[in-house]
Structure formats: C-alpha cells, structure tokens
Amino acid sequence: MLNARVVDPGTGTSSSPSDVWLQAGQISRVTPAGRVPGAGNVLDLKGNFVAPGMMDAHVHLAFDGGDDPKATHQASSDEEIIAQVVANARIALRAGITTVRDCGTPRRLLAPMRAALGMASDVATVVHCGAPLCRVGGHAHDMGGEVRTRHDVHTLIAEQHAAGATWIKLMASGGGFTPGTSPSVFEFDPVLLREAVVIAGSYGMKTAAHAHASSSIAACIDAGVHTLEHASMLGPDERCSPDPGLLRRAADAGIHIVPTVIAADIVSRQLQEGRQVLANPLDRNVVARLESRFTNVTEFLHSGVSIVAGTDAGPAHVTFDLLARELERYVAAGLTAQHALKSATTEAASMLGLESQVGRVRPGLWADLIFTSADPLQDITTLQTPLGVLKRGLLIAH
Ligand SMILES: [Zn+2]
C-alpha cells in the first residue's frame, strides 16, 4: 500500500505519506513513502488516510435492524436467520467495521451462526456472547438463558463455552423490549451474578452486563463484570440520575462502558412519532430514559471511565453500518475526535483482549484497515464514507 497517511488513534497523530507493507494478511512494515522498492500487488492510496478498522462492541446479528426486527425474527426459520447473520456481518465490514461483538443471540443459534460465519471471508470478525443469562422471565428470556440456580449458571456457561462464546452476557436490569421487566430495577440474584462472573472467568470468558438501573450498575461493579452496556443510570423513580461516584468506581475497577447512543436516538424518535416500537408497560419513562443515553456520555467522559463504541444494531431498528454515526454522537457529547476513534479501535481492542492483533496500523497486527479521504482525527464524519476496507489484507469490494 503506497502513499498512505497512517492514522494512529493512540497518539492522535497522522503520518506523512508512508508505504504500508502487508504479508499473509498482516502488516509487516511501515516505511516513508517511496523509500523501499516493492514487489507484489500494489495499492496506491495517493495521500489518503489509512486507519485501523472500527469495532462495534454491541450488536445482535440475529436481528435485521429493519422496521420490525422482533416480528421478522419470529417469522423467520433458523436457516433464514443464519443467512441474515452473515448478511449483517457483511454489511458491517463494508462500512469499515472489521470486528463486532455479538451481545446476545438465541441459545440454539450460537453454534450454527459460528459455522456459517466461519465459511465467509468477507464478513466482520465476530466475538460471541451467546444467549444472555437472565432471571426467570427476565429481559430477553426468549433467547433461552433463564437461570434459577447455581447449577443453571454452570450448565449454561459451560454449554456456551463449548459452542464458541468467549463472553457471557448478563441481563442485570429489565429492558425496553421485554414486558414484565423493569429497566429501573436490578433484576438478577446478586449471588448468581457473582457466581456467573466467577464461572465465566474459570473458562477464560469475560462478562458483559446489560444495566439500566443504577442499582444494577452498582451490583455489577461489585460482582466484577468487565463491561456495562447502556449504563442508563436510572434511579428507583425511573428517572436518570447520573452518579459520578458510581462511575468513578467503574473507572477504578477498569470497567468499560458501551453507551449505544444511536439506538436510543432512533427508537426515541420513532416513539415520539407515535410508533409502537417498544411495548413494555413497566418502562414508563421510556423516551427520557433513551434520551439520557446521549447526555450520559458527557458524564462518562468526565468520570474517566473507558468508553467503548457500540450501536445495539439489530433489535433496536439500527442497521449494522451506523458505528460512524455513534462516534459522531460521542463527539457531539464532548469527546475529541481522537477519543471517539479510540473508543472504536484501541479501547475496543483492549476490552476484547485483542490489542496484540487489531486496533492500530502497526507491524505484527492484522491488516484490518479502513481508507478515508479526510483525517478522522480531525473529522470523524469521514468514517461514514470509507474509500475502501481491508480485512486481513483482503480488499473488500464496495
Ligand atoms: Zn443489546
């Protein structure tokens, strides 16, 4: 790759035109442009920018992100859902998202999903959580992850580990999509929550907790989870009440927060237009709950907690190509463009334990790269229209 200005989210700098050498899907050398005569396939970037591929830490590949994702999902055969999974991972890659973490899928589909994704080379790399663990009747219980006892926790985690999950998702509060649950309530047995984190850890798996209620966030920090999803900071009165002390505790514990702002933007707008997109009678303050996601990002920023980008693509009417818009919202909430880019590259890689493989343009890492016409460290919106994407050195057609 010739004449590429290399973007480093870690240092916040972009290089003068450089040549980036690839071998067997990896970056082998980065040299000043024109210094070393080359051989093999050459791609001239003509002074455009090369940045690490983005990572979306919160998607649900088994849902289509369309007008009524739940109904479409329920009306589809398993074969159709698996085809959708692969199509979604392909959409993500074409948008420059080279890695996604699937944050919850029906229990029976984890193994077939992995098999189908493994057959495709033009899809984003997928890190799997499998079916979320929840209380009986808890959020997303229809995915098959209800747990009553320690035995249930052990069985489910062992099964998902065997099927290829490397993370375990825990539904620590209710959610907008599940009638009978309340987002402002901590809805997990605290003993089972701790047990789940310990058992997952014994398999080398990390834990991601869906947590709207502040009480659920506090319990998850105590239990030692690795990531907090949404982190709406709802009090028992169903109002968002940011708690800087709670966020500092999360920061001190090295926990990452995945804000999923774009999903909240889209769903709250649809609700205000009168569409029946969520129907949970216990989610009484839903529009304010969703709108607080954006303002909460500023609170996360001030607390110093690690912010990792995620969209909640799939069930929340969000398609799989919107991560760049999520990053734009972080910049609107006060993050620098560098910080927003880090949330989707270096911070995400470190959260996923993949920092020795992806997240920077460096020798020894996979050539999972995105080309842009402007410097994303100056203009984050350039990530919305990538000029090209490389996955493990393979140029992905647009
Ligand atoms: Zn989700």
Side-chain angles (χ1 to χ4, degrees), residues 11-80:
T11 60
T13 55
S14 300
S15 74
S16 51
S18 304
D19 296 339
V20 180
W21 304 80
L22 310 181
Q23 201 168 30
Q26 290 187 327
I27 300 159
S28 57
R29 277 188 298 174
V30 180
T31 57
R35 271 307 156 72
V36 184
N41 293 326
V42 171
L43 186 66
D44 189 348
L45 284 198
K46 300 182 173 140
N48 286 305
F49 293 83
V50 59
M54 294 183 283
M55 292 173 240
D56 189 336
H58 193 129
V59 304
H60 301 269
L61 290 166
F63 296 83
D64 71 353
D67 274 349
D68 197 347
K70 205 169 175 178
T72 307
H73 177 89
Q74 283 163 351
S76 303
S77 67
D78 283 1
E79 290 70 25
E80 287 166 336

Side-chain angles (χ1 to χ4, degrees), residues 305-354:
V305 73
S306 165
I307 298 170
V308 170
T311 60
D312 215 353
H317 311 257
V318 177
T319 50
F320 290 79
D321 51 0
L322 295 186
L323 188 65
R325 277 181 58 196
E326 176 84 17
L327 301 186
E328 249 188 279
R329 297 296 279 150
Y330 297 169
V331 171
L335 273 70
T336 61
Q338 180 197 357
H339 195 168
L341 185 61
K342 279 171 71 173
S343 78
T345 55
T346 51
E347 289 290 310
S350 131
M351 179 197 102
L352 294 168
L354 298 175

Side-chain angles (χ1 to χ4, degrees), residues 211-267:
H212 290 304
S214 288
S215 53
S216 66
I217 294 171
C220 287
I221 296 170
D222 290 342
V225 305
H226 297 91
T227 68
L228 292 166
E229 310 300 312
H230 321 305
S232 306
M233 296 188 285
L234 298 183
D237 60 355
E238 302 177 34
R239 310 243 157 234
C240 171
S241 11
D243 178 347
L246 194 59
L247 292 176
R248 259 196 310 278
R249 277 180 58 208
D252 290 345
I255 292 171
H256 307 268
I257 291 185
V258 184
T260 66
V261 173
I262 195 74
D265 283 356
I266 290 173
V267 174

